[in-house]
Every structure is written in structure tokens, then in C-alpha cells.
Amino acid sequence: MLWIFLAILLASIVIGLPIAFGLGVAALVMAVLSDIPLSIMIEQSIRGVNSFPLLAIPFFILVGEVMSNGGIARRLMELAGALVGFMRGGLGQVAITGSMFFGGISGSAVADTAATGAMMIPSMKQQGYTAANATAINTVSSVIGIIIPPSIPLILYGIVTETSISRLFIAGIVPGLLIGAALMVTTFILASKQGGGVRQFRWDRLWKAFKDAWLALVLPVIVIGGIIGGVFTATEAAVAALLYSLAISLLVYREFKLSELGGMLIRTARLTGMVMMLLAFATVIAWFLTINMVPQTLVRQVQAITQEPFLLLLIVAGLLLLVGFVMDLTPAMVIMAPMLAPIVTSVGVDAAYFGVLMAFILGIGLLTPPVGTCLYVGCGVGKVSMESLVKAMLPYYAALIVVLVVLIAFPGIVTWLPDLTAVRGN
């Protein structure tokens, strides 16, 4: 069954069929060959999307829409400029810090690339950055948005592997900050070649930016603080974040009009529909593979090769990097997580740790050709060619790989905070 599934999936990728439809075709073929009633397929697909934590996805997507249109994102970028704009690398450091702020609210790398890129790239060009280098910094920093909570990929991982989403969110905080720090150091080193003026640090500018943005900063406090404090689950945090972002955008900043809400809801529904279709068909595939003992067989085969966690994680990381080259993050997560999670947890690897690691690795795939979604968005926003953008991103690829190796070598970087807070509920 595994080979049938992989063959149909590969054929779908080759002919350009959407992955969700490819999964549906694979599920149908497997049902026919197994002589299983189609009613069971429908039952399993409904089970896959009948999950309360899934409600967090449309709410967090909509929060990102409100941020971009309601003045929240702009104020966060201005605060980032006042905080780190004086450093070597100037606006490059601002773009990365802004992505860390943005990622702490939206949970989407693509939204981060589009929003921060549109705001930062024109200014960076004026300060001496080439179009390729300015776009590279804004594009590569978007991967932070899927690690620092909230994170849509981590929600998906939690659902398909039955891992606590709240624990996953808390586990992503320190790695997200580490990724941001690594990108800032890389920008600092490259600054003399890339250009970028250094503005003087001023307390009055920082105070003014903080006063203008402090209400926006409450958003990540609501999400992260509420989860750590046990006030609400990750799903409830998404609702609270949406209500709060709408309130300050409409009543305080007044840069958001109710007439814009319709378009935001349509975009949110489209993206949510895609995710739900993927989950529905992926659940059917996972059920077929499970009743044919595929995960159990894979665990035994991998354990026969090695039971050393570090070596196993290196092998799995290499596999996921290859998957990221040819498949977008969302389908890769819902397809691969149910198969790989039992393998790594069988040797004692923490499930939440592996979820963060998997999201990070597949996030790198968003930045690499030929399928990298953020790469294409960056090319469009920055008006640069794919070749020049990839060339400019090479030092940042190296920085991300270094962080990946560090996280594999020292799992405690990821697990110590969720263990400390003892967050385990959804």
C-alpha cells in the first residue's frame, strides 16, 4: 500500500495536480484495491476534520489579515526599527526583528513574507541594499513565523499526531528566538557588503514607538501568556487574539474598516478549505497505512538500522529536507508526521520536540526551489529573479542549517521551557 500511495503522490506532483486531489485519488485507488467500502473513506475523512483544535487555524489566519490591514503590523515594524535600527545591518536587523514580532501573532510564513516585505524592501533599497539582498533577508526571516507561537504547522502536527498543541506552542518559543538571533548575526557579518545605513539609537524614538505599539504587543502576551498561565487552550487563544486585534484595529487605531472584513473572510475561508481538504484525505491515507501495519513496519526497519536518537534525527532531517524541495509545508506535514513521529518517539524523542524540528525543516523547504512558496512570494514582492534571490540567500541557508544541527544535538533547547511550565493540554 505504501508504494501505491507514493507512486500516485509522485505522479500528482509531476503532472501538477494539487496535492489534496492527489491524496484523494490515492485514497480512492487504495480503497478499490483493498475492497473496502467507500463509506469508510467518508467516515475517516470526516473524523480527520472533526477536531476542536482545528478551529484555531481560521482564527489565526484571520488575525494575520487584521494585522496587515489594521495598522498592527506597521506599528510593530516601527517598534522594531527603534529597537535594533542602530545596529550594523540597519534595516536588515529591523526586518528580522519585525518578523519575530509578526510571527508571534500570525503563525504564517507566507503572510510574513508578503507583509514585512512590502513594508521593508523599498526602504532597504533606499538605504543601499540591493533588491536581491533586501528580498533575501525579508524572505528567509519568514521561517520564524512558523516556529514562534502561534504556528499553523504546529497545530497541524498536533492534530495528526495527537500531541498537545499548547505544549508545541511553548516548545517553539526558544528555537524561534534562536533562529532570529542566527539570522541577525548573519546580517551583521554581511552588512559591510550589503549596505544599509546605521541610524543612531534614541530613547525618545523608542519610547514613541513603544507607546504607539504597546497595544499590539499585548497580542502575543494574550496567546503565549494565556496558554502558559492555563487561562485558555491554544484554540481559545486564537479566538481571544482575533477579538482583541479587531477591537484595537477598529476602536483604537481606526485603520481598519468593516467593509474590508468580507475580503478577509473569503481569503481565510479559501486557505482554511485547502487545509481541511488535505487533512480529510490525509486521514484516510493514514488509516489505510495503519491497518496495513506500515508505520509499525517502518519503526522496526529503522530501529534495525540505528536506535541512537542523534543519528536517527539526522537521517530523518535529511529526508525532510528532500521532501521540502518537492512539496509544500502543509501537505508534507499532514502526510509525513503520522509516519515519522512513531519512528522518532520509539527511541525516546519527545513528540513536541520533533514537531518543532519538523516544522523548522519543512519551513526551510518554503525557502528553496523549485517549490518554495515563500521564495515565489519574495520574488513577486521584491521584483527580483529566482536565481538572484537564491544566490543572495546562500549565507542564510547556511545559518539555518547550523541552527538545525544545534537543535538536533541539544534537544533540551526545545524541551526545557514546556517541561518547566508543564503545559500539556490542547
Side-chain angles (χ1 to χ4, degrees):
M1 280 296 175
L2 178 61
W3 295 113
I4 295 174
F5 162 63
L6 293 176
I8 296 175
L9 184 63
L10 180 61
S12 301
I13 295 173
V14 171
I15 66 176
L17 187 70
I19 297 295
F21 296 153
L23 290 177
V25 172
L28 182 60
V29 171
M30 293 165 74
V32 172
L33 293 178
S34 303
D35 196 25
I36 291 176
L38 296 183
S39 59
I40 295 182
M41 282 184 56
I42 298 174
E43 177 185 334
Q44 291 297 320
S45 63
I46 293 174
R47 185 180 66 84
V49 296
N50 185 24
S51 172
F52 177 73
L54 273 177
L55 287 173
I57 293 178
F59 284 117
F60 278 129
I61 294 173
L62 194 52
V63 168
E65 291 281 348
V66 174
M67 278 184 59
S68 299
N69 293 274
I72 298 175
R74 178 179 60 80
R75 285 171 171 80
L76 290 176
M77 295 304 295
E78 290 174 354
L79 177 61
L83 275 173
V84 300
F86 69 94
M87 296 174 60
R88 183 179 176 184
L91 292 179
Q93 308 289 9
V94 175
I96 296 169
T97 305
S99 290
M100 294 169 74
F101 284 148
F102 197 94
I105 300 174
S106 74
S108 169
V110 175
D112 189 351
T113 304
T116 62
M119 286 186 284
M120 293 301 304
I121 291 174
S123 299
M124 293 175 72
K125 290 178 181 178
Q126 293 175 3
Q127 289 292 326
Y129 283 87
T130 66
N133 286 329
T135 306
I137 293 173
N138 282 276
T139 303
V140 76
S141 61
S142 66
V143 75
I144 302 171
I146 57 175
I147 305 299
I148 294 181
S151 166
I152 293 174
L154 291 182
I155 294 173
L156 293 174
Y157 175 89
I159 290 169
V160 299
T161 63
E162 298 182 351
T163 303
S164 166
I165 296 173
S166 297
R167 181 172 170 81
L168 284 163
F169 276 12
I170 303 306
I173 296 175
V174 175
L177 296 175
L178 181 61
I179 295 167
L183 297 180
M184 292 180 74
V185 169
T186 305
T187 300
F188 184 90
I189 294 171
L190 298 174
S192 60
K193 295 182 179 180
Q194 294 179 339
V198 179
R199 69 169 69 174
Q200 184 179 5
F201 178 81
R202 287 172 45 186
W203 283 106
D204 60 332
R205 180 188 291 124
L206 177 58
W207 177 242
K208 182 178 182 298
F210 175 77
K211 286 194 300 181
D212 202 30
W214 76 270
L215 285 172
L217 290 174
V218 174
L219 262 174
V221 174
I222 290 175
V223 175
I224 301 171
I227 293 173
I228 292 179
V231 179
F232 38 55
T233 66
T235 307
E236 293 162 347
V239 180
L242 176 60
L243 293 175
Y244 181 82
S245 61
L246 283 171
I248 63 173
S249 296
L250 286 169
L251 304 177
V252 181
Y253 298 151
R254 298 184 180 179
E255 297 182 20
F256 171 71
K257 298 179 181 178
L258 281 176
S259 59
E260 300 173 338
L261 188 58
M264 296 180 187
L265 290 173
I266 291 173
R267 290 190 292 272
T268 300
R270 286 174 177 170
L271 185 54
T272 303
M274 179 197 72
V275 173
M276 294 301 179
M277 185 177 292
L278 279 168
L279 272 176
F281 289 132
T283 301
V284 178
I285 296 294
W287 180 78
F288 274 120
L289 296 179
T290 300
I291 64 174
N292 284 278
M293 304 295 289
V294 172
Q296 296 88 334
T297 302
L298 288 175
V299 169
R300 288 195 299 270
Q301 291 177 344
V302 172
Q303 286 181 338
I305 299 174
T306 179
Q307 295 191 41
E308 170 60 37
F310 178 75
L311 181 58
L312 177 60
L313 286 172
L314 284 179
I315 296 173
V316 171
L319 171 64
L320 288 174
L321 283 172
L322 293 176
V323 170
F325 286 141
V326 297
M327 192 181 300
D328 198 31
L329 187 152
T330 301
M333 180 66 79
V334 298
I335 294 170
M336 301 299 295
M339 290 191 288
L340 295 179
I343 295 175
V344 297
T345 55
S346 69
V347 297
V349 174
D350 184 89
Y353 161 77
F354 181 65
V356 172
L357 198 69
M358 188 173 183
F360 178 34
I361 298 170
L362 294 176
I364 296 175
L366 293 174
L367 309 172
T368 55
V371 181
T373 307
C374 290
L375 207 59
Y376 287 103
V377 173
C379 287
V381 174
K383 296 180 174 59
V384 295
S385 67
M386 178 74 70
E387 181 181 358
S388 61
L389 178 55
V390 171
K391 183 178 179 181
M393 289 178 64
L394 290 177
Y396 294 100
Y397 289 141
L400 293 177
I401 296 300
V402 169
V403 174
L404 175 60
V405 173
V406 170
L407 294 180
I408 292 176
F410 303 101
I413 294 174
V414 181
T415 58
W416 77 271
L417 186 56
D419 287 343
L420 180 66
T421 57
V423 174
R424 296 190 179 276
N426 279 327

